[in-house]
Amino acid sequence: MTLDAISQQRQSLDLETAIDGGDSELKTSRQADVISRSTRSGIQNEGNFVKRGLVRFVSLLWDSFGKDAQTQKYLHKIDLFILIYVMLSYLIKSLDNTNINNAYVSGMQEDLALYGNELNLFATFFNMGYLSGSIPFQYIVSHFRPSIIVPSCELVWSGLVMLVASVKSAKSVYVLRYFIGLVEAAAFPVFMQVLGSWYTPEELGKRVAIFDMCANIAAMFSGYLQAGLYTSFNGRGGLAGWRWLFIMDGVISFPIALLGFYCLPDFPTNTRARWLTKEEKEFSIRRFAAVGKKGPRKLTLRRLGQYVLSWRPYGCLCFVCTASGGDAPSASFNLWLKSLDMSVQKVNIIPTAANACAIGSAFVFGSLSDRTRTRWPWIIFGEFIRISGNVILAVWNVNYSSKFYAYLAPSLATFYWTLWLSWSQEAFQDDAEFRGLVMAGANTIGPALGAFVPLLLFPTEQAPHYHYGFYAAIAFNTATIGSVLLFHFLSKREAKKRGRVYNEFGLTVDPSYEAELLRESGIGTDGYHSREEPVIEEVSLGQKNAVTLSEKEVN
């Protein structure tokens, strides 16, 4: 760097020192701006017109390609290790939840003499286990590293799933499904905490959308997997095809669990990931601090009581309660097609278009919310899509194309849920444990309400034209819009009450917080960046350089 550039940096530092007792908002804004400008598009780099146009186009699909060289390398690395791992882990767990239904219709019912309500009880016992483990695992993860707890639970999960292949009665399945749900409760909330800690608001939305859409991918893949196993393995080794389905689940999950011990990095402030360099760990903390995120703390009974007595859990989970009743059950699409005397093949194949719509819309609107750096208006837009579908179905006497759209509408609007997951991570990024508790509560309340609300509003004997179900769904959709506005209002009021300000990245904090995190993490105590030597960063045309000044020069 030239002497003129260093001089400019020193003048900038003098300016900050001069206003130290003045406008704190300007200080916090500049701190975030260091990371903001370093992570903005690097499209202005040297290169011809075609190259810049290609980079711009590719960056529309995946934001990291439009960043400066350092940030691009960093994002590609955490995408490879963090995002890919959590996607694989969530995919195999979603696959198991779908496979229990496929196994039931592929010989499990006859082999185990399941002629009552056993299939629903399989889901009930799983949810009971999940509910039992959600809060305790958040307490455990606050005291021990997620990189140890989650993969360990996944190893246990793999063994339990494989044991389902050996069951002789429904009672054995009940016990196994309970413990499968129990150990699985550690995964989703922790994955959301980790994603929310390593990505900034302009990167998080699309990645959460892709992560959450693994459930739809699993639903599409499960039927093909069961068909293939039934054709190729039925009777092999003296085992029925449906038993091989659970064996394959466990076999696939074991290497994914082992991968988790290496890939899952905990949080930026306490990571021991070997795939991150010392400079990248420091860069992670700077990004972490610039958007106001707080590191993990031990979850105590006192803090848990404070959550219960505050508005926070109720403001967040109100959305989950209203959104859970806003759609007809997915099976109603199949029942409508069946009422048209379509073939069995069409009845099973056509609804897969809904899964494709869900995956596509989640990515598109996740990307849009990242670019606009806002979530709640897009969530409300998704609710209007759901309302439009339910209005058409409530009217009922419309043409085939309108009804087809109406049944696809819930899938087209699925992005509302993924955006809420991102929003809840950002609105309360000052408390890592609270974010985990919210995810645990949401992932428990949602399925619990989904277990009985459809029975009341959409009884199977009324299918496909429900007398009052679609009208009730419209009411739930409207209430969800109200809960979004309430959540937005309470979040803003909370920030104002605590004297916080917002910038393009979200919550900003005192500049000293970054130095505090670096000091607590033990990064920069020798070599490249010492604890006593502050680093001043210059960002110009997407290129970042660092100037290290001695303490005497700073003073």
Side-chain angles (χ1 to χ4, degrees):
M1 181 178 291
T2 66
L3 292 176
D4 289 341
I6 295 176
S7 177
Q8 291 175 2
Q9 292 288 359
R10 290 172 177 168
Q11 291 174 10
S12 176
L13 182 63
D14 292 339
L15 177 61
E16 285 189 24
T17 305
I19 64 171
D20 186 60
D23 191 351
S24 62
E25 183 173 338
L26 178 60
K27 291 166 58 182
T28 57
S29 176
R30 185 186 183 281
Q31 179 212 11
D33 193 53
V34 169
I35 306 299
S36 170
R37 288 183 290 167
S38 69
T39 56
R40 280 183 187 171
S41 173
I43 293 173
Q44 299 178 28
N45 294 343
E46 293 184 3
N48 58 42
F49 176 78
V50 175
K51 181 179 178 181
R52 292 198 304 271
L54 180 61
V55 170
R56 188 181 298 274
F57 174 75
V58 174
S59 66
L60 289 175
L61 300 177
W62 201 253
D63 52 33
S64 57
F65 288 99
K67 308 288 186 179
D68 64 277
Q70 180 193 16
T71 309
Q72 183 179 133
K73 179 181 177 182
Y74 172 83
L75 284 176
H76 287 169
K77 181 176 282 191
I78 63 175
D79 283 342
L80 177 63
F81 286 96
I82 301 177
L83 184 61
I84 296 299
Y85 165 68
V86 299
M87 285 177 59
L88 289 174
S89 180
Y90 189 47
L91 178 67
I92 193 65
K93 290 173 178 57
S94 301
L95 188 63
D96 171 70
N97 289 330
T98 306
N99 282 346
I100 193 71
N101 297 317
N102 289 329
Y104 184 84
V105 299
S106 301
M108 186 182 190
Q109 180 183 19
E110 293 76 15
D111 289 354
L112 301 184
L114 309 177
Y115 297 108
N117 203 30
E118 291 87 354
L119 182 60
N120 288 332
L121 289 174
F122 292 162
T124 299
F125 275 92
F126 174 87
N127 289 331
M128 289 170 58
Y130 201 101
L131 180 61
S132 301
S134 294
I135 302 301
F137 269 118
Q138 286 304 304
Y139 180 83
I140 294 172
V141 167
S142 73
H143 288 73
F144 302 94
R145 290 181 176 272
S147 58
I148 296 175
I149 299 299
V150 174
S152 299
C153 287
E154 192 156 17
L155 287 174
V156 176
W157 184 92
S158 303
L160 292 172
V161 168
M162 294 178 72
L163 284 176
V164 177
S166 66
V167 297
K168 303 297 182 183
S169 67
K171 292 181 179 180
S172 301
V173 182
Y174 296 153
V175 174
L176 289 172
R177 293 296 292 173
Y178 174 84
F179 285 104
I180 288 171
L182 180 67
V183 295
E184 187 173 324
F188 185 87
V190 173
F191 288 162
M192 283 302 307
Q193 279 181 280
V194 171
L195 290 173
S197 297
W198 288 88
Y199 292 103
T200 65
E202 69 172 2
E203 303 156 358
L204 184 62
K206 69 174 66 62
R207 289 168 174 85
V208 170
I210 294 173
F211 164 66
D212 194 59
M213 285 301 102
C214 287
N216 293 83
I217 298 172
M220 296 176 67
F221 180 66
S222 178
Y224 299 109
L225 178 64
Q226 175 60 68
L229 288 174
Y230 191 84
T231 302
S232 305
F233 284 82
N234 190 33
R236 182 171 295 187
L239 296 177
W242 67 267
R243 295 183 186 272
W244 279 106
L245 190 62
F246 295 104
I247 293 175
M248 290 301 297
D249 276 352
V251 169
I252 295 173
S253 182
F254 264 115
I256 295 176
L258 296 176
L259 192 65
F261 287 106
Y262 181 75
C263 290
L264 202 62
D266 300 317
F267 303 100
T269 52
N270 67 351
T271 183
R272 296 186 302 188
R274 295 183 179 180
W275 47 269
L276 283 170
T277 66
K278 185 176 181 179
E279 288 74 20
E280 288 169 338
K281 291 177 181 179
E282 181 173 343
F283 185 54
S284 300
I285 290 180
R286 292 186 183 280
R287 284 163 46 93
F288 187 81
V291 293
K293 293 179 181 177
K294 296 296 181 70
R297 295 179 295 162
K298 290 184 177 180
L299 181 62
T300 62
L301 292 177
R302 179 180 179 181
R303 289 183 63 202
L304 191 60
Q306 291 174 344
Y307 295 144
V308 173
L309 295 176
S310 71
W311 71 270
R312 288 185 161 200
Y314 311 106
C316 291
L317 298 179
C318 177
F319 172 89
V320 180
C321 294
T322 56
S324 298
D327 293 325
S330 58
S332 64
F333 195 178
N334 303 66
L335 295 173
W336 172 63
L337 295 173
K338 186 177 181 180
S339 70
L340 301 177
D341 294 326
M342 289 189 175
S343 65
V344 174
Q345 290 84 353
K346 288 184 178 180
V347 169
N348 285 279
I349 292 175
I350 291 177
T352 60
N355 299 111
C357 289
I359 295 170
S361 66
F363 180 80
V364 169
F365 285 96
S367 300
L368 287 173
S369 72
D370 283 347
R371 286 190 169 273
T372 57
R373 296 187 177 94
T374 184
R375 314 290 183 198
W376 67 272
W378 298 108
I379 297 175
I380 292 178
F381 179 68
E383 287 305 310
F384 278 114
I385 294 177
R386 294 211 293 171
I387 288 175
S388 68
N390 285 322
V391 167
I392 291 172
L393 293 175
V395 174
W396 191 253
N397 293 319
V398 295
N399 58 41
Y400 174 85
S401 298
S402 298
K403 281 185 184 177
F404 193 85
Y405 160 78
Y407 279 109
L408 286 181
S411 298
L412 290 170
T414 300
F415 63 85
Y416 80 89
W417 172 247
T418 60
L419 294 187
W420 180 84
L421 293 175
S422 301
W423 190 25
S424 61
Q425 289 291 303
E426 295 158 359
F428 304 114
Q429 49 193 335
D430 61 310
D431 196 317
E433 287 68 41
F434 175 76
R435 299 198 305 270
L437 288 171
V438 167
M439 292 301 103
N443 218 35
T444 302
I445 293 175
L449 292 175
F452 73 88
V453 170
L455 297 178
L456 299 176
L457 301 182
F458 303 96
T460 305
E461 59 270 15
Q462 294 181 10
H465 185 197
Y466 304 98
H467 298 161
Y468 47 82
F470 297 122
Y471 294 100
I474 295 171
F476 274 110
N477 297 147
T478 306
T480 302
I481 294 175
S483 69
V484 170
L485 296 175
L486 176 64
F487 185 60
H488 176 65
F489 168 76
L490 292 176
S491 300
K492 288 290 187 181
R493 190 183 70 171
E494 176 86 355
K496 184 177 180 180
K497 181 179 179 181
R498 298 192 178 194
R500 292 171 179 157
V501 295
Y502 283 84
N503 66 1
E504 61 176 332
F505 273 106
L507 223 56
T508 61
V509 294
D510 191 288
S512 63
Y513 179 58
E514 178 184 306
E516 179 185 338
L517 288 179
L518 290 170
R519 187 165 53 250
E520 290 178 354
S521 66
I523 294 176
T525 57
D526 58 357
Y528 181 62
H529 293 152
S530 70
R531 183 179 302 178
E532 294 81 11
E533 295 178 331
V535 175
I536 301 178
E537 293 174 332
E538 176 190 27
V539 182
S540 176
L541 299 180
Q543 300 295 323
K544 187 174 76 171
N545 301 303
V547 182
T548 304
L549 304 179
S550 67
E551 183 177 1
K552 181 179 179 180
E553 288 177 309
V554 172
N555 292 333

